[in-house]
């Protein structure tokens, strides 16, 4: 085996030491990577166990907002039902007043008619005038027929 000039033959075991040195560096890098992965795995576990406070706050606030909206809708429904009931009572009262007023008017009208009939029946002059009006109408109809 010919060795070129200026090149020294490697010492015995140098190659083995170099391989061992590389293997040692690889093991150290692998150990460091393992530690980093272990840290992130533990961190994820801690985060999951502790929960994300920001996410919890957001979820809590959303839940509270939904509850407030439901309460608001329920109150709105109650207010509307109460208002409808009040309006129905007012309407019933007004209808009752109108019915009473109409009944009073009808009674007054009937009483006035009865009074007029009574006066007509009692007054001798009105009876005579009524008879004369009837005779005049009959006479006019006869003259129209001829």
């Amino acid at each position: 085996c010919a060795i070129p000039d200026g090149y020294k033959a490697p010492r015995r075991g140098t190659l083995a030491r170099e391989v061992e040195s590389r293997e040692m560096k690889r093991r150290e890098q692998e150990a460091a990577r393992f530690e980093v992965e272990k840290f992130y795995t533990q961190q994820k576990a801690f985060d999951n166990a502790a929960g994300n406070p920001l996410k919890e706050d957001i979820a809590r606030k959303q839940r509270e907002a939904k509850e407030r909206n439901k309460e608001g809708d329920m109150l709105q429904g109650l207010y509307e039902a109460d208002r409808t009931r009040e309006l129905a009572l007012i309407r019933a009262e007004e209808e009752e007043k109108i019915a009473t007023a109409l009944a009073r008017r009808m009674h007054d009208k009937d009483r006035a008619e009865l009074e007029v009939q009574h006066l007509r029946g009692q007054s001798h002059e009105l009876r005579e005038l009524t008879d004369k009006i009837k005779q005049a109408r009959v006479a006019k109809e006869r003259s129209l027929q001829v």
Side-chain angles (χ1 to χ4, degrees):
C1 199
I3 297 178
D5 288 335
Y7 181 76
K8 289 186 178 179
R11 288 188 177 173
R12 266 193 130 129
T14 307
L15 186 58
R17 276 183 283 182
E18 193 63 35
V19 169
E20 197 173 306
S21 169
R22 285 184 185 165
E23 187 64 26
M24 182 69 92
K25 286 180 184 177
R26 187 189 61 77
R27 283 187 206 137
E28 287 174 357
Q29 288 174 348
E30 192 174 293
R33 191 173 340 118
F34 177 74
E35 287 297 321
V36 169
E37 287 176 2
K38 182 179 172 184
F39 172 77
Y40 283 118
T41 303
Q42 288 175 346
Q43 190 64 35
K44 285 181 185 178
F46 288 140
D47 287 346
N48 289 338
N52 189 343
L54 182 60
K55 285 183 181 178
E56 289 177 3
D57 285 345
I58 291 171
R60 180 177 43 81
K61 287 181 181 179
Q62 288 174 342
R63 187 175 53 249
E64 289 172 354
K66 285 180 184 177
E67 290 173 2
R68 281 192 303 271
N69 286 339
K70 284 182 182 178
E71 289 174 1
D73 291 343
M74 186 176 65
L75 285 174
Q76 184 67 27
L78 290 174
Y79 290 144
E80 288 176 4
D82 191 45
R83 181 70 178 149
T84 303
R85 185 182 53 77
E86 287 177 6
L87 290 175
L89 288 173
I90 291 170
R91 182 176 181 190
E93 288 175 3
E94 289 178 353
E95 287 176 353
E96 176 117 6
K97 288 177 184 177
I98 290 170
T100 304
L102 286 175
R104 188 177 301 125
R105 281 186 186 173
M106 290 296 291
H107 179 70
D108 291 345
K109 183 179 177 184
D110 290 343
R111 191 174 49 188
E113 285 180 17
L114 285 174
E115 189 176 324
V116 167
Q117 285 178 0
H118 181 68
L119 288 175
R120 282 183 186 165
Q122 283 183 351
S123 173
H124 179 67
E125 293 174 354
L126 286 176
R127 271 186 278 156
E128 287 178 4
L129 288 173
T130 306
D131 288 341
K132 286 182 182 179
I133 291 173
K134 284 181 185 177
Q135 288 174 4
R137 283 185 187 160
V138 169
K140 185 177 180 181
E141 285 179 16
R142 284 183 192 162
S143 67
L144 288 176
Q145 288 177 356
V146 174

